[in-house]
DNA sequence: TTATTTTAACTAATGCATTTAGTTTGTCAA
DNA sequence: TTGACAAACTAAATGCATTAGTTAAAATAA
């Protein structure tokens, strides 16, 4: 009676990622996935090791795809131009694939080399772009973190509805990046608003 | 047979928030909560409208407590001093109450005036602090968003293990805020790294 | 071609969590 | 003292994830 379905792991993960993007990560259940694939729930266990492992797979997929997009955006650009292009690509990816992006945020309970490598690749890309800036090794790390935090913060606050006002979020990100780059480019000025 | 427990809604939410902070938001189940309160699961429905509504309550509690902490931190301070103090308080709160903070991030599916008000209060605080800066109305909104995104980004990436390198995260936040404030204080400089 | 192994489907059954309905018992106020 | 309400309870339904064991189809090897 078993049908001639012949699915493989990649197809299962891809279908799961589409559900997560379209209906939200919390709507991704084995029941929903099995229904979309037209198989019974237990059959999924031939391809994946349960729901939690599936979420990890989706996050890993998202992280790797994100790296591809960011690398492409940075190609042929330098300095703040490259950073702006990367930020734009980051934002577009997270908007287009909110489920994968959220899954990539999931904290790992054990050390996970594959996830760590995927994350480190993105960090390396940013460090490469930041090379021309006159930053100490320590400051370079701070700058990468600040850049990531700024973009991720915008993405995260937007997707959770944190921005209530009817002002364009893209424009806010552009402006905030501008201020951040300003400081990166011209460090060590006299503070004006520290004490009024 | 019913015991003389006499719980009320606030106690139930408080106990739930403690579980969420101590063991993670995903570990907050009605079973765990009922066990801690030494009542049966269905009795919880006398106080709260199910698990999802409970998560909302915890998020609202977190948002309001966060506002109190930030307001306290800003008292008696101005300009970037006030912003740094607020950032520090924000960070400390999110670290001390990760469950409540994460619950506050939960997207609302319907308009939720209570949550919106709690969020708007924090935004208003930041706008007040930013008054002395010479910013247009539009730029003030961008600055508030950038500030929130930067802090939330750091908090979020830290709690999800996004920072792999053994470099102090607090220090990275300080440095990133410094660059951001630099740009806020000295807008409109000539970009150096735009084209090398 | 035929035999064997592997893959991927299936059914059956268990356990846990959320939720609803209906019931009982203390507590407080009239 | 009595009556009403609040808050506990038991019983039961539903849905999801998971495991165990089984079967058929496809791929591979003789």
């Amino acid at each position: 009676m078993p049908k001639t379905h012949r699915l493989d792991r990649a197809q299962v993960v891809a279908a799961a990622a589409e559900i997560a993007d379209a209906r939200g990560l919390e709507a991704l259940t084995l029941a929903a996935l099995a229904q979309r694939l037209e198989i019974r729930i237990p059959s999924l266990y031939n391809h994946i090791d349960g729901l939690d492992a599936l979420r990890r797979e989706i996050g890993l997929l998202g992280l790797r795809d994100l790296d591809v997009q960011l690398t492409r955006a940075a190609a042929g650009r330098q300095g703040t131009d490259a950073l702006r292009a990367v930020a734009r690509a980051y934002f577009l990816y997270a908007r287009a694939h909110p489920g994968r992006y959220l899954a990539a945020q999931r904290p790992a309970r054990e050390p996970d080399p594959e996830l760590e490598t995927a994350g480190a690749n993105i960090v390396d890309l940013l460090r490469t772009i930041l090379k021309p800036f006159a930053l100490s090794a320590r400051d370079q790390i701070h700058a990468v973190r600040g850049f990531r935090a700024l973009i991720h913060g915008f993405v995260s606050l937007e997707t959770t509805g944190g921005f209530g006002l009817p002002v364009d979020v893209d424009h806010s990100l552009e402006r905030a990046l501008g201020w951040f780059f300003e400081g990166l480019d011209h460090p060590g000025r006299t503070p004006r608003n520290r004490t009024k």
Side-chain angles (χ1 to χ4, degrees), chain A residues 57-176:
Chain A
E57 295 286 337
I58 294 174
L60 184 59
L61 177 68
L63 222 45
R64 285 172 173 166
D65 286 351
L66 179 61
D67 184 32
V68 169
Q69 297 301 319
L70 301 190
T71 303
R72 182 165 306 173
R77 294 192 169 90
Q78 285 189 336
T80 54
D81 265 357
L83 290 178
R84 280 180 199 277
V86 166
R88 204 162 27 240
Y90 193 110
F91 217 68
L92 286 177
Y93 185 85
R95 269 193 191 150
H97 302 288
R100 298 169 214 222
Y101 185 77
L102 189 58
Q105 248 46 61
R106 200 183 58 98
R109 51 185 72 253
E110 314 159 14
D112 190 324
E114 284 188 313
L115 273 175
E116 284 161 22
T117 298
N121 284 342
I122 294 176
V123 170
D124 286 345
L125 171 68
L126 296 179
R127 294 184 67 158
T128 301
I129 299 176
L130 282 172
K131 273 238 178 71
F133 291 72
L135 296 171
S136 67
R138 186 61 66 95
D139 270 358
Q140 195 180 72
I141 294 171
H142 296 325
V144 168
R145 287 180 169 181
F147 182 76
R148 285 177 62 206
L150 195 53
I151 304 175
H152 169 67
F154 264 100
V155 166
S156 176
L157 288 177
E158 188 193 42
T159 57
T160 58
F163 296 132
L165 280 57
V167 175
D168 188 45
V169 175
D170 296 60
H171 204 261
S172 294
L173 174 62
E174 288 283 330
R175 205 83 180 83

Side-chain angles (χ1 to χ4, degrees), chain A residues 38-59:
Chain A
E38 296 181 311
I39 61 176
R40 302 301 169 127
I41 296 174
S43 306
L44 291 170
Y45 284 79
N46 289 316
H47 305 286
I48 47 113
D49 293 336
L51 183 60
D52 211 54
L54 179 61
R55 294 200 190 104
R56 175 195 169 276
E57 295 286 337
I58 294 174

